Amino acid sequence: MQFSISIFFFFNCLIFVKSFMGSINRPSTSFQLKSINEEGLATIFARLSEKRILLDVEGAGTPEMMQSGADLKLTINELGITILDTTPTNLTIMGTGYDLPLLRIVIVGGEQCTAPVVEKWQPGRRFFNMYGPTETTVSATYAELFAGKPVSIGNGLPGYTVSIRDETMKVVKNGEEGELCIGGKGVTLGYLNAPVKTASKFVFVDGARIYKTGDLVREDKDGSVVFIGRADSQVKIRGYRVELED
C-alpha cells in the first residue's frame, strides 16, 4: 500500500512539474525546505522534467539556519537555487525575495498562504500554492498566485475531484461556505486500526469515495477554491498538523 501511494504521489507531482516547469530550458537547482516522506523523489522529478542540475539539500539545514532568515537566504544565493519548495512560514522568516535574483519559482504548501507572503515573494518569479492533506497523498490542488490578486488553493490536480459540501454532504451553492471534500485515486483507504475514525472521514457520495478534509472553504467568482479555516481545533505548526484534542 505504501508503495502504491508513493507511486501515485510521484506521478501526480510529475504532471505538475511537466505542466508548469517543462517550459524552463535553463538548468535549474531545487532547494526543498520542508519534510518529504518519499526519499529521492525530488531528484527523480528534476531528471524526468529534463532539468540538468539538481542540488539535493533536503534536511541539510541546521536548526539554527532554519530559524535565521539571513542564513537561509545566504544559503539560497550561494547555492544558486532557482526553484524553492517550502512553507509560507519559512518565507516569512526570510522576509522578502527581492534580493534573490536567481530564484525563478517558489512553491509553498503545508499551511495557509497569505497575501503578504505573496506580495513579498511573487514579483519577478512564478509562485505556486499547493494544497492537500496526507489522506489524499499530499498535494491535491494547486494555484498560481500573483501579488495584488486574491489568494486561493486553486483547483484539483489531474486525478482528483474537488467539491464543497454542507453537513448533509450536499454540494453548496457557488460562493457559499462549506467543507472541502476530495475524491480520486490518491485518496487513501483510511486510518490503520481506526475503523470509527475512518468511517467518519471517508464516505461514499453518489457512488464515489471521498475524504472530508475538515477545511472550510468557498468558491470565488473565478471558480477557485478559497481556504477559510478549520471546522475543528486542528492547527498547523511549520506545516505539521497538530490535533489539539489528542
Side-chain angles (χ1 to χ4, degrees):
M1 183 61 188
Q2 179 61 45
F3 176 77
S4 63
I5 290 175
S6 298
I7 289 297
F8 186 87
F9 175 68
F10 163 74
F11 281 109
N12 183 35
C13 292
L14 178 58
I15 290 171
F16 175 79
V17 170
K18 292 294 287 185
S19 298
F20 295 100
M21 303 177 194
S23 60
I24 300 175
N25 295 319
R26 290 171 290 173
S28 299
T29 306
S30 175
F31 191 9
Q32 183 155 9
L33 283 173
K34 59 182 180 180
S35 62
I36 184 169
N37 293 326
E38 286 73 20
E39 183 178 358
L41 286 184
T43 302
I44 298 173
F45 296 159
R47 289 176 180 171
L48 291 182
S49 58
E50 299 174 355
K51 301 299 174 289
R52 294 181 179 273
I53 300 175
L54 175 85
L55 184 60
D56 186 2
V57 291
E58 164 66 18
T62 64
E64 291 77 14
M65 178 188 296
M66 296 302 291
Q67 296 174 12
S68 170
D71 287 347
L72 281 173
K73 294 176 79 171
L74 179 63
T75 298
I76 290 172
N77 265 329
E78 287 181 343
L79 297 178
I81 301 302
T82 58
I83 301 174
L84 177 62
D85 182 9
T86 188
T87 62
T89 295
N90 281 331
L91 295 185
T92 300
I93 290 173
M94 288 189 282
T96 68
Y98 300 129
D99 50 352
L100 296 171
L102 296 179
L103 191 60
R104 303 199 301 270
I105 295 175
V106 172
I107 305 169
V108 297
E111 60 191 17
Q112 184 176 8
C113 183
T114 62
V117 171
V118 181
E119 293 285 341
K120 294 176 181 178
W121 283 89
Q122 184 278 316
R125 59 183 60 93
R126 302 188 76 177
F127 189 107
F128 294 95
N129 187 22
M130 308 294 290
Y131 164 90
T134 302
E135 289 87 347
T136 63
T137 323
V138 194
S139 297
T141 77
Y142 74 94
E144 182 168 8
L145 304 183
F146 300 90
K149 301 291 185 179
V151 174
S152 78
I153 58 176
N155 301 105
L157 283 164
Y160 286 98
T161 62
V162 175
S163 59
I164 305 174
R165 300 176 180 272
D166 61 20
E167 294 180 351
T168 66
M169 296 308 292
K170 293 183 179 180
V171 176
V172 302
K173 296 179 180 179
N174 291 345
E176 291 185 351
E177 180 180 312
E179 182 176 10
L180 180 60
C181 298
I182 300 175
K185 293 184 179 179
V187 176
T188 58
L189 297 180
Y191 303 107
L192 183 63
N193 298 325
V196 175
K197 184 176 181 180
T198 295
S200 68
K201 300 294 289 184
F202 297 85
V203 300
F204 282 88
V205 178
D206 298 327
R209 188 169 177 275
I210 61 176
Y211 169 67
K212 299 169 61 179
T213 66
D215 288 330
L216 299 177
V217 299
R218 63 175 175 81
E219 188 177 58
D220 66 15
K221 61 181 181 180
D222 298 321
S224 294
V225 177
V226 177
F227 178 82
I228 298 174
R230 289 291 301 175
D232 54 25
S233 59
Q234 182 190 104
V235 297
K236 285 287 191 75
I237 301 176
R238 287 180 174 269
Y240 291 94
R241 286 163 49 172
V242 178
E243 308 285 352
L244 296 181
E245 61 269 23
D246 293 342

